[in-house]
Amino acid sequence: MQTSFKALTLSYKHAPIAVREAVALNEIGCRNLLDKIKEFTLAQDVLVLSTCNRTEVYYAAEQDYSKEIIKLIALEKGFIATGEIGPYFMHLDEGQEAVQHLFNVAIGLESQVVGDMQIMNQVKNAYQWAADANMVGPFLHRLLHTIFFTNKRVVNETAFKDGAASVSYATVELVEELTRKIENPNVLMLGVGEIGANVCDNFQKSEVRNITIANRTHHKALELAQKCKATAIYWENVWEAMAIADVVISSVPGDCFFVSKEVVEKMGEKRPAYFVDLSMPRSIDSALEELAGTKVFNVDNIKNRATEALGNRLAAISAVREIITEAMDEFQAWTRDMGMSPALQQFKNRLEEIRQRELARYMKQLGDQERELVETITKNILNKIVKMPALELKAACQRGESEALIEGLSALFNLEKAPQLV
């Protein structure tokens, strides 16, 4: 395992929603942070992952860049100092631990709603942004593709991803409970990003059917409305639609749109009774609860009500961990093979140096056919000589004993010294 791989993580487990939204990064923010890390540090294999529940940076470097990265996050988010957010970040500086954490996050073991389906797509997006920034090396490339394959195994071999135990489904269940005594409740959905679209999709399985969708890009709202048998309105009509809604659900980031107490208060007694804020940063003022008869729910309040599906997922965790352990063992074997490859190549280069030097002494005395024959024979001999140490090293890697053999090989053939071809 590459011991220089590290993780810097801030999540719902240790940070309240106010802190999480303060450091949350959209796509542009993630891409900007990648560029800043590339410019101001020597870190490689960098992955920036930011969701409503976490902001994390994975990277490979010999030194600890956690303080520098926190400062760069603060710079991207416009903070003057990092004192308020720094204590909430955890730094995993041991390679195995960081790799294990990324496996757990990507598969859904660390999700607020265990087995959440959305996190894998978010990891894939983060991988694409890192690749676009030329921050993905062989180690991170192999690690992420191992994780993607592991996720397929989890889906196919366990019940960990079965059922509707997700934030979007939990939102629908919450709305059903809140509006149980309201005849034909009117629900206004703001934003049609991934989570907004999933919420609307889940409403198709609900008895709550009076759904109105608003989005800044109207044709996206219209497409989703047609798919989900809902009604689409233009964004400029949001406030009028809100004034007649029973429930308002927002997945629009708070730095783009904000529902303030002052605006809602002016709607009078007909204002919505319930607001559900799925956005990050939050887009619904928590002070709305100061208004009589008004309740505000955010992602930390939404608990999964799909008890059967959640129960199946929890029961599958041990099987999921076994699959992850197998995948990590295979990945660790690959990293060991990668570790021995430079030593083997140096060994082969040293033998090639000897072969070339000896051939140079006699080639002038040989004809063309003889030269070709000697070249072929000596190359075959070299490859057979290299094959035995390669097999022994590979076996030692499987036993976790490759370091001693590599050191012995290096000492015997002075591999640290650059070969000089004559």
Side-chain angles (χ1 to χ4, degrees):
M1 193 69 65
Q2 182 169 325
T3 56
S4 64
F5 192 62
K6 301 171 173 61
L8 183 66
T9 171
L10 178 150
S11 77
Y12 72 95
K13 290 188 173 182
H14 305 102
I17 189 170
V19 174
R20 299 202 310 274
E21 70 181 358
V23 299
L25 299 165
N26 57 19
E27 177 179 346
I28 294 174
C30 289
R31 289 182 182 273
N32 287 344
L33 182 59
L34 283 165
D35 291 338
K36 287 182 172 69
I37 293 173
K38 187 176 183 179
E39 181 177 358
F40 295 108
T41 76
L42 298 176
Q44 298 178 323
D45 282 322
V46 181
L47 184 77
V48 176
L49 177 64
S50 189
T51 73
C52 61
N53 285 328
R54 66 186 65 253
T55 293
E56 299 183 330
V57 179
Y58 299 85
Y59 66 98
E62 291 302 324
Q63 73 179 83
D64 178 356
Y65 283 122
S66 57
K67 291 182 179 179
E68 289 82 355
I69 293 173
I70 292 173
K71 287 180 181 178
L72 293 175
I73 292 173
L75 181 65
E76 177 62 28
K77 295 297 293 184
F79 290 114
I80 297 175
T82 60
E84 294 182 3
I85 61 171
Y88 292 99
F89 279 96
M90 294 180 59
H91 192 244
L92 310 178
D93 59 2
E94 197 277 316
Q96 180 89 359
E97 187 180 16
V99 168
Q100 177 80 66
H101 184 71
L102 182 52
F103 262 97
N104 291 347
V105 167
I107 298 301
L109 286 173
E110 294 288 326
S111 296
Q112 195 169 29
V113 178
V114 66
D116 189 5
M117 301 290 284
Q118 296 176 29
I119 185 64
M120 182 54 67
N121 287 333
Q122 292 164 334
V123 171
K124 288 180 178 179
N125 288 336
Y127 174 44
Q128 182 61 58
W129 302 336
D132 292 343
N134 294 319
M135 295 295 275
V136 178
F139 177 86
L140 187 57
H141 175 79
R142 179 73 178 225
L143 173 57
L144 286 169
H145 279 275
T146 301
I147 288 173
F148 299 155
F149 178 75
T150 303
N151 184 63
K152 289 182 179 179
R153 283 195 61 192
V154 168
V155 171
N156 293 332
E157 299 175 24
T158 75
F160 188 63
K161 303 278 185 173
D162 291 354
S166 66
V167 171
S168 56
Y169 189 82
T171 300
V172 172
E173 287 195 325
L174 174 63
V175 172
E176 289 176 336
E177 182 177 308
L178 295 174
T179 60
R180 189 167 294 153
K181 297 181 180 180
I182 301 175
E183 184 178 353
N184 193 25
N186 188 334
V187 178
L188 174 62
M189 181 74 230
L190 304 178
V192 296
E194 184 176 6
I195 191 168
N198 286 339
V199 169
C200 291
D201 184 58
N202 279 303
F203 268 120
Q204 293 188 80
K205 308 161 193 173
S206 168
E207 293 183 1
V208 179
R209 295 297 181 89
N210 188 5
I211 312 298
T212 302
I213 302 173
N215 191 64
R216 289 186 181 277
T217 306
H218 182 65
H219 77 85
K220 291 184 178 180
L222 192 60
E223 289 174 4
L224 182 61
Q226 291 172 344
K227 176 184 175 184
C228 299
K229 299 177 182 178
T231 302
I233 62 169
Y234 287 96
W235 186 256
E236 50 265 36
N237 297 327
V238 159
W239 299 112
E240 290 86 345
M242 192 178 299
I244 60 174
D246 296 298
V247 182
V248 176
I249 305 171
S250 177
S251 64
V252 180
D255 50 6
C256 300
F257 175 75
F258 192 71
V259 181
S260 68
K261 173 188 173 184
E262 291 72 22
V263 171
V264 174
E265 191 171 21
K266 291 178 182 178
M267 295 179 184
E269 295 182 358
K270 291 186 177 181
R271 60 179 174 262
Y274 306 108
F275 291 84
V276 182
D277 193 351
L278 304 178
S279 55
M280 186 62 63
R282 285 174 291 179
S283 58
I284 296 176
D285 193 347
S286 57
L288 284 174
E289 291 217 327
E290 297 173 7
L291 302 177
T294 305
K295 294 287 292 182
V296 179
F297 301 86
N298 59 45
V299 289
D300 282 355
N301 304 133
I302 298 173
K303 303 300 180 183
N304 193 334
R305 300 163 194 278
T307 53
E308 183 178 352
L310 182 59
N312 291 338
R313 291 185 178 195
L314 293 174
I317 286 179
S318 60
V320 172
R321 293 195 184 281
E322 288 181 10
I323 292 173
I324 290 176
T325 298
E326 291 176 15
M328 286 189 64
D329 288 343
E330 292 176 6
F331 181 69
Q332 189 169 18
W334 175 82
T335 57
R336 286 172 179 165
D337 287 346
M338 286 291 291
M340 78 176 187
S341 294
L344 276 177
Q345 189 58 50
Q346 287 177 329
F347 177 51
K348 190 171 183 178
N349 290 346
R350 185 49 49 88
L351 294 182
E352 179 65 15
E353 174 193 353
I354 297 170
R355 189 183 78 88
Q356 292 284 359
R357 189 164 54 231
E358 293 304 308
L359 286 179
R361 296 180 181 180
Y362 304 106
M363 279 297 205
K364 294 179 181 178
Q365 304 172 25
L366 304 176
D368 290 342
Q369 288 186 340
E370 291 172 322
R371 288 179 183 179
E372 186 176 341
L373 182 60
V374 170
E375 182 76 23
T376 301
I377 292 172
T378 54
K379 275 189 176 181
N380 288 341
I381 292 172
L382 185 149
N383 290 332
K384 289 183 182 298
I385 292 173
V386 172
K387 186 175 181 180
M388 185 58 69
L391 291 174
E392 288 297 328
L393 269 175
K394 191 165 187 178
C397 281
Q398 300 300 323
R399 302 191 302 269
E401 303 170 355
S402 59
E403 288 187 13
L405 276 179
I406 290 175
E407 289 176 4
L409 194 65
S410 179
L412 282 172
F413 291 89
N414 195 20
L415 297 184
E416 298 302 321
K417 181 181 178 182
Q420 298 176 349
L421 298 182
V422 178

